[in-house]
Amino acid sequence: MRSWLVGEGEKRGHSIILDEWTDVNGHGPLQDNTNDCGVFASQVGNSLAVGENLWFCQDDMPRLRKEMIVEIARGELHPSLKAENLVSNK
């Protein structure tokens, strides 16, 4: 993943510094189509930010996509994702 990120950055003329990044190892939910990668990536980030396990699966994508649309339309994250609730602030 790290080499892919660096390569993608280089393609776009950006230097990606990964020194302060933390690797997360383990098994995550599996995507079984080519449509939901953005939802999967967002939900992985959300779960890691609040210190949750990766609890979702492909079947959750329609509901999670709708929740994300509501968050975007309201211009407000779900309460668990607000800054005061993030792992780094605890």
Side-chain angles (χ1 to χ4, degrees):
M1 180 62 86
R2 285 174 171 262
S3 61
W4 177 82
L5 284 170
V6 170
E8 289 298 308
E10 288 173 355
K11 285 185 204 174
R12 292 165 176 77
H14 299 287
S15 177
I16 304 213
I17 310 296
L18 301 174
D19 295 345
E20 295 182 16
W21 287 44
T22 302
D23 291 331
V24 177
N25 297 310
H27 299 286
L30 297 177
Q31 179 182 340
D32 67 8
N33 63 33
T34 59
N35 306 330
D36 294 322
C37 53
V39 180
F40 267 87
S42 294
Q43 294 304 316
V44 167
N46 290 349
S47 293
L48 294 175
V50 297
E52 291 180 346
N53 290 324
L54 302 177
W55 54 269
F56 54 90
C57 66
Q58 183 69 54
D59 292 341
D60 296 310
M61 291 302 108
R63 178 182 56 79
L64 292 171
R65 183 183 301 278
K66 288 176 186 172
E67 289 177 8
M68 290 173 67
I69 291 168
V70 170
E71 288 177 341
I72 292 167
R74 290 184 178 164
E76 184 174 283
L77 292 173
H78 186 276
S80 67
L81 295 172
K82 292 188 178 175
E84 62 270 14
N85 297 322
L86 298 181
V87 171
S88 63
N89 291 331
K90 291 183 179 178

